[in-house]
Amino acid sequence: MNGKTRIGVLTSGGDCPGLNAVVRGVVKSSAQLGYDCIGFLRGYEGLVDPVSYTALNHKNTTGILNQGGTILGSTNKGRFTATVGVSDRVDLASELLDGVEATIEQLNINGLICIGGDGSLAVAQQFHERGIPVVGVPKTIDNDLSATAFSFGFDSAVACATDALDRLHTTAASHDRIMVLEVMGRHAGWIALHAGIAGGGDVILIPEIPWSYENVCHKVLHREAHGKRFTLVVVAEGAELPGGALITQDDTQPGQVRLGGIGERVAEELERRLHRETRTAVLGHLQRGGPPTTFDRVLATQFGAHAVRLVIEGRFGEMICYRPPRIDSVPIIDAVNKLSRVDPLTAAVQAARALGISFGDLPADESPFEMAAEISTGLAVGSGAGNAQPVAV
Ligand code: F6P
């Protein structure tokens, strides 16, 4: 050991565009200060037997700013699971924490920067409680962490979904079809809401606003009455069916269900009720791949540099966050297990309603702009994510 300050960094959980930009931000800003950097491989798994890491420097982080994925690898499965669902804490095995502590000591790590979503940050919190010097960086395409206005990855996912809607628009119009686009987001409707607005969607179905087939059909017919013979429906994977059920791919791991399949369900039912040709597109992991947008590059770079600052200042147990216009920090404990979901009264929802976009909660001719606030106030919004009954497809 040469006595230099040494920073460890890892990426954990599902990947998203911008992870490499954070890693590069950490490495470059550390190098400016003369610090060493070590990248642990495959998320938290790299911290314990068999410990796997690589020295990070200018040379091996050059050119990664615009690269999707993570050069360090990641996993959202395995030994490090500190939550079940969105709120229940699972204590990590104490021998696992012993192993992490030993690695940090043996490698003389002065600060460990953990880049991850809610579940990964819950692990970081347990490291902090053990006295391991840890700092968090929030990541998720879902934008569902309440402590930060935006997480990097979200803007890139929205850009991908918007591009898909642009493409679906022309083919839907050519064939007079209803097109249903299913997007990710888990129990939050942010991706669907933003992409639906940016991509000119006609109907947006999100987990936060209960909807009915009658109202969606009414919107389709209302459009036809105004000469529009096609309709674009954007549905969030976590939107509940009118009966309150979630559509999942499997329910083998309680609390950790894989969402997906609602797009096809909605399309089938619309076709059955309206006798209009209907097609579905499921965007899936395309939303997670590819280069980050410029917004995400800037945000991720700032998160990387400010995470190093937190280490220098000894602010362990804190997580970087974006509170426009400030890059700030909060205790990790205050950031985890608190989902940010779409408030039906939010300006974006009201603007969408003003344009005539349907959320499936009202007949198409009953949502004028001036009524938006009143309408939204009357909505019965689910009290928390994941309360609905899962249904496997
Ligand atoms: O949390 C990010 C996310 O992409 C969700 O939007 C989606 O439900 C989930 O991860 C998919 O996870 P996996 O990559 O394990 O299929």
mmCIF file of all heavy atoms in Angstrom, residues 175-178 217 220-221 224 229 266-279:
data_model
loop_
_atom_site.group_PDB
_atom_site.id
_atom_site.type_symbol
_atom_site.label_atom_id
_atom_site.label_comp_id
_atom_site.label_asym_id
_atom_site.label_seq_id
_atom_site.Cartn_x
_atom_site.Cartn_y
_atom_site.Cartn_z
ATOM 1 N N HIS A 175 -52.309 2.543 -41.163
ATOM 2 C CA HIS A 175 -53.211 1.384 -41.156
ATOM 3 C C HIS A 175 -54.492 1.592 -40.354
ATOM 4 O O HIS A 175 -55.231 0.637 -40.137
ATOM 5 C CB HIS A 175 -52.471 0.159 -40.599
ATOM 6 C CG HIS A 175 -51.439 -0.374 -41.540
ATOM 7 N ND1 HIS A 175 -51.721 -1.344 -42.474
ATOM 8 C CD2 HIS A 175 -50.143 -0.056 -41.701
ATOM 9 C CE1 HIS A 175 -50.615 -1.605 -43.164
ATOM 10 N NE2 HIS A 175 -49.644 -0.835 -42.708
ATOM 11 N N ASP A 176 -54.711 2.798 -39.876
ATOM 12 C CA ASP A 176 -55.897 3.059 -39.038
ATOM 13 C C ASP A 176 -55.987 2.053 -37.895
ATOM 14 O O ASP A 176 -57.004 1.395 -37.674
ATOM 15 C CB ASP A 176 -57.190 2.973 -39.872
ATOM 16 C CG ASP A 176 -57.282 4.080 -40.892
ATOM 17 O OD1 ASP A 176 -56.549 5.081 -40.747
ATOM 18 O OD2 ASP A 176 -58.083 3.945 -41.829
ATOM 19 N N ARG A 177 -54.905 1.942 -37.165
ATOM 20 C CA ARG A 177 -54.866 0.940 -36.092
ATOM 21 C C ARG A 177 -54.752 1.587 -34.718
ATOM 22 O O ARG A 177 -54.323 2.733 -34.584
ATOM 23 C CB ARG A 177 -53.636 0.040 -36.272
ATOM 24 C CG ARG A 177 -53.832 -1.040 -37.294
ATOM 25 C CD ARG A 177 -52.529 -1.775 -37.522
ATOM 26 N NE ARG A 177 -52.750 -2.931 -38.381
ATOM 27 C CZ ARG A 177 -51.782 -3.556 -39.040
ATOM 28 N NH1 ARG A 177 -50.539 -3.150 -38.937
ATOM 29 N NH2 ARG A 177 -52.068 -4.594 -39.786
ATOM 30 N N ILE A 178 -55.077 0.790 -33.719
ATOM 31 C CA ILE A 178 -54.748 1.168 -32.345
ATOM 32 C C ILE A 178 -53.402 0.514 -32.046
ATOM 33 O O ILE A 178 -53.222 -0.672 -32.316
ATOM 34 C CB ILE A 178 -55.800 0.639 -31.340
ATOM 35 C CG1 ILE A 178 -57.188 1.204 -31.674
ATOM 36 C CG2 ILE A 178 -55.393 0.985 -29.914
ATOM 37 C CD1 ILE A 178 -58.317 0.546 -30.872
ATOM 38 N N CYS A 217 -61.957 3.166 -24.506
ATOM 39 C CA CYS A 217 -62.739 2.977 -25.747
ATOM 40 C C CYS A 217 -63.398 4.290 -26.154
ATOM 41 O O CYS A 217 -63.448 4.640 -27.337
ATOM 42 C CB CYS A 217 -63.814 1.903 -25.544
ATOM 43 S SG CYS A 217 -63.130 0.252 -25.358
ATOM 44 N N VAL A 220 -61.007 6.425 -27.983
ATOM 45 C CA VAL A 220 -60.775 5.953 -29.360
ATOM 46 C C VAL A 220 -61.932 6.418 -30.254
ATOM 47 O O VAL A 220 -61.711 6.968 -31.351
ATOM 48 C CB VAL A 220 -60.655 4.408 -29.394
ATOM 49 C CG1 VAL A 220 -60.562 3.904 -30.837
ATOM 50 C CG2 VAL A 220 -59.433 3.948 -28.600
ATOM 51 N N LEU A 221 -63.146 6.238 -29.771
ATOM 52 C CA LEU A 221 -64.327 6.610 -30.564
ATOM 53 C C LEU A 221 -64.440 8.127 -30.720
ATOM 54 O O LEU A 221 -64.832 8.638 -31.774
ATOM 55 C CB LEU A 221 -65.599 6.040 -29.905
ATOM 56 C CG LEU A 221 -65.637 4.508 -29.833
ATOM 57 C CD1 LEU A 221 -66.849 4.032 -29.047
ATOM 58 C CD2 LEU A 221 -65.640 3.894 -31.232
ATOM 59 N N GLU A 224 -62.159 9.098 -33.403
ATOM 60 C CA GLU A 224 -62.736 8.753 -34.715
ATOM 61 C C GLU A 224 -63.797 9.772 -35.116
ATOM 62 O O GLU A 224 -63.880 10.173 -36.277
ATOM 63 C CB GLU A 224 -63.336 7.345 -34.662
ATOM 64 C CG GLU A 224 -62.255 6.269 -34.657
ATOM 65 C CD GLU A 224 -62.818 4.855 -34.725
ATOM 66 O OE1 GLU A 224 -64.033 4.684 -34.890
ATOM 67 O OE2 GLU A 224 -62.003 3.932 -34.615
ATOM 68 N N ARG A 229 -58.390 8.263 -37.181
ATOM 69 C CA ARG A 229 -58.758 6.842 -37.253
ATOM 70 C C ARG A 229 -57.688 5.912 -36.643
ATOM 71 O O ARG A 229 -57.684 4.721 -36.869
ATOM 72 C CB ARG A 229 -59.050 6.473 -38.704
ATOM 73 C CG ARG A 229 -60.191 7.326 -39.280
ATOM 74 C CD ARG A 229 -60.547 6.908 -40.676
ATOM 75 N NE ARG A 229 -60.899 5.497 -40.741
ATOM 76 C CZ ARG A 229 -62.082 4.995 -40.384
ATOM 77 N NH1 ARG A 229 -63.022 5.789 -39.913
ATOM 78 N NH2 ARG A 229 -62.317 3.712 -40.505
ATOM 79 N N VAL A 266 -54.251 -5.292 -22.690
ATOM 80 C CA VAL A 266 -55.022 -4.087 -23.052
ATOM 81 C C VAL A 266 -55.395 -4.138 -24.531
ATOM 82 O O VAL A 266 -56.540 -3.881 -24.913
ATOM 83 C CB VAL A 266 -54.209 -2.805 -22.715
ATOM 84 C CG1 VAL A 266 -54.854 -1.565 -23.321
ATOM 85 C CG2 VAL A 266 -54.076 -2.646 -21.207
ATOM 86 N N ALA A 267 -54.428 -4.510 -25.365
ATOM 87 C CA ALA A 267 -54.679 -4.568 -26.815
ATOM 88 C C ALA A 267 -55.785 -5.567 -27.136
ATOM 89 O O ALA A 267 -56.701 -5.270 -27.904
ATOM 90 C CB ALA A 267 -53.388 -4.940 -27.545
ATOM 91 N N GLU A 268 -55.710 -6.751 -26.525
ATOM 92 C CA GLU A 268 -56.728 -7.785 -26.778
ATOM 93 C C GLU A 268 -58.121 -7.289 -26.410
ATOM 94 O O GLU A 268 -59.089 -7.470 -27.138
ATOM 95 C CB GLU A 268 -56.428 -9.034 -25.930
ATOM 96 C CG GLU A 268 -55.429 -9.977 -26.581
ATOM 97 C CD GLU A 268 -54.966 -11.048 -25.583
ATOM 98 O OE1 GLU A 268 -55.632 -11.244 -24.531
ATOM 99 O OE2 GLU A 268 -53.928 -11.646 -25.866
ATOM 100 N N GLU A 269 -58.202 -6.652 -25.261
ATOM 101 C CA GLU A 269 -59.511 -6.211 -24.775
ATOM 102 C C GLU A 269 -60.067 -5.066 -25.643
ATOM 103 O O GLU A 269 -61.263 -5.020 -25.931
ATOM 104 C CB GLU A 269 -59.397 -5.789 -23.306
ATOM 105 C CG GLU A 269 -60.705 -5.495 -22.622
ATOM 106 C CD GLU A 269 -61.695 -6.675 -22.578
ATOM 107 O OE1 GLU A 269 -61.287 -7.832 -22.774
ATOM 108 O OE2 GLU A 269 -62.906 -6.389 -22.374
ATOM 109 N N LEU A 270 -59.184 -4.171 -26.070
ATOM 110 C CA LEU A 270 -59.656 -3.063 -26.929
ATOM 111 C C LEU A 270 -60.154 -3.615 -28.263
ATOM 112 O O LEU A 270 -61.182 -3.178 -28.786
ATOM 113 C CB LEU A 270 -58.539 -2.035 -27.156
ATOM 114 C CG LEU A 270 -58.106 -1.231 -25.917
ATOM 115 C CD1 LEU A 270 -57.015 -0.225 -26.292
ATOM 116 C CD2 LEU A 270 -59.289 -0.501 -25.275
ATOM 117 N N GLU A 271 -59.433 -4.591 -28.798
ATOM 118 C CA GLU A 271 -59.846 -5.183 -30.075
ATOM 119 C C GLU A 271 -61.189 -5.900 -29.915
ATOM 120 O O GLU A 271 -62.075 -5.797 -30.758
ATOM 121 C CB GLU A 271 -58.771 -6.154 -30.574
ATOM 122 C CG GLU A 271 -59.014 -6.616 -31.999
ATOM 123 C CD GLU A 271 -57.741 -7.149 -32.652
ATOM 124 O OE1 GLU A 271 -57.405 -8.320 -32.409
ATOM 125 O OE2 GLU A 271 -57.091 -6.398 -33.379
ATOM 126 N N ARG A 272 -61.319 -6.598 -28.794
ATOM 127 C CA ARG A 272 -62.562 -7.327 -28.539
ATOM 128 C C ARG A 272 -63.746 -6.372 -28.425
ATOM 129 O O ARG A 272 -64.807 -6.591 -28.987
ATOM 130 C CB ARG A 272 -62.426 -8.146 -27.244
ATOM 131 C CG ARG A 272 -63.500 -9.186 -27.029
ATOM 132 C CD ARG A 272 -63.349 -9.883 -25.692
ATOM 133 N NE ARG A 272 -63.656 -9.024 -24.557
ATOM 134 C CZ ARG A 272 -64.889 -8.669 -24.177
ATOM 135 N NH1 ARG A 272 -65.930 -9.103 -24.846
ATOM 136 N NH2 ARG A 272 -65.072 -7.879 -23.132
ATOM 137 N N ARG A 273 -63.522 -5.259 -27.732
ATOM 138 C CA ARG A 273 -64.640 -4.332 -27.505
ATOM 139 C C ARG A 273 -64.944 -3.448 -28.714
ATOM 140 O O ARG A 273 -66.090 -3.104 -28.962
ATOM 141 C CB ARG A 273 -64.324 -3.418 -26.308
ATOM 142 C CG ARG A 273 -64.329 -4.153 -24.990
ATOM 143 C CD ARG A 273 -64.019 -3.188 -23.851
ATOM 144 N NE ARG A 273 -63.974 -3.893 -22.581
ATOM 145 C CZ ARG A 273 -64.638 -3.536 -21.482
ATOM 146 N NH1 ARG A 273 -65.382 -2.449 -21.489
ATOM 147 N NH2 ARG A 273 -64.532 -4.237 -20.386
ATOM 148 N N LEU A 274 -63.892 -3.064 -29.434
ATOM 149 C CA LEU A 274 -64.095 -2.050 -30.485
ATOM 150 C C LEU A 274 -64.080 -2.618 -31.911
ATOM 151 O O LEU A 274 -64.419 -1.913 -32.862
ATOM 152 C CB LEU A 274 -62.990 -0.975 -30.384
ATOM 153 C CG LEU A 274 -63.069 -0.065 -29.163
ATOM 154 C CD1 LEU A 274 -61.773 0.724 -29.016
ATOM 155 C CD2 LEU A 274 -64.252 0.890 -29.269
ATOM 156 N N HIS A 275 -63.613 -3.852 -32.043
ATOM 157 C CA HIS A 275 -63.476 -4.474 -33.368
ATOM 158 C C HIS A 275 -62.604 -3.603 -34.281
ATOM 159 O O HIS A 275 -62.902 -3.409 -35.449
ATOM 160 C CB HIS A 275 -64.851 -4.733 -34.010
ATOM 161 C CG HIS A 275 -65.751 -5.527 -33.111
ATOM 162 N ND1 HIS A 275 -65.545 -6.864 -32.844
ATOM 163 C CD2 HIS A 275 -66.829 -5.148 -32.384
ATOM 164 C CE1 HIS A 275 -66.468 -7.280 -31.974
ATOM 165 N NE2 HIS A 275 -67.251 -6.261 -31.691
ATOM 166 N N ARG A 276 -61.549 -3.051 -33.705
ATOM 167 C CA ARG A 276 -60.567 -2.292 -34.488
ATOM 168 C C ARG A 276 -59.256 -3.081 -34.442
ATOM 169 O O ARG A 276 -58.941 -3.679 -33.406
ATOM 170 C CB ARG A 276 -60.301 -0.903 -33.893
ATOM 171 C CG ARG A 276 -61.520 -0.042 -33.666
ATOM 172 C CD ARG A 276 -62.088 0.466 -34.972
ATOM 173 N NE ARG A 276 -63.102 1.478 -34.758
ATOM 174 C CZ ARG A 276 -64.390 1.255 -34.433
ATOM 175 N NH1 ARG A 276 -64.809 0.023 -34.259
ATOM 176 N NH2 ARG A 276 -65.232 2.256 -34.287
ATOM 177 N N GLU A 277 -58.512 -3.035 -35.554
ATOM 178 C CA GLU A 277 -57.215 -3.726 -35.552
ATOM 179 C C GLU A 277 -56.304 -3.092 -34.510
ATOM 180 O O GLU A 277 -56.122 -1.869 -34.498
ATOM 181 C CB GLU A 277 -56.561 -3.594 -36.923
ATOM 182 C CG GLU A 277 -56.796 -4.796 -37.826
ATOM 183 C CD GLU A 277 -55.778 -4.835 -38.947
ATOM 184 O OE1 GLU A 277 -55.530 -3.772 -39.547
ATOM 185 O OE2 GLU A 277 -55.229 -5.914 -39.203
ATOM 186 N N THR A 278 -55.723 -3.930 -33.677
ATOM 187 C CA THR A 278 -54.889 -3.428 -32.574
ATOM 188 C C THR A 278 -53.575 -4.216 -32.537
ATOM 189 O O THR A 278 -53.573 -5.426 -32.728
ATOM 190 C CB THR A 278 -55.640 -3.587 -31.233
ATOM 191 O OG1 THR A 278 -56.914 -2.963 -31.355
ATOM 192 C CG2 THR A 278 -54.900 -2.938 -30.088
ATOM 193 N N ARG A 279 -52.486 -3.522 -32.332
ATOM 194 C CA ARG A 279 -51.176 -4.172 -32.239
ATOM 195 C C ARG A 279 -50.465 -3.708 -30.975
ATOM 196 O O ARG A 279 -50.720 -2.617 -30.478
ATOM 197 C CB ARG A 279 -50.304 -3.812 -33.450
ATOM 198 C CG ARG A 279 -50.851 -4.297 -34.784
ATOM 199 C CD ARG A 279 -50.696 -5.807 -34.951
ATOM 200 N NE ARG A 279 -51.056 -6.244 -36.283
ATOM 201 C CZ ARG A 279 -52.284 -6.619 -36.653
ATOM 202 N NH1 ARG A 279 -53.277 -6.591 -35.781
ATOM 203 N NH2 ARG A 279 -52.529 -7.009 -37.901
#
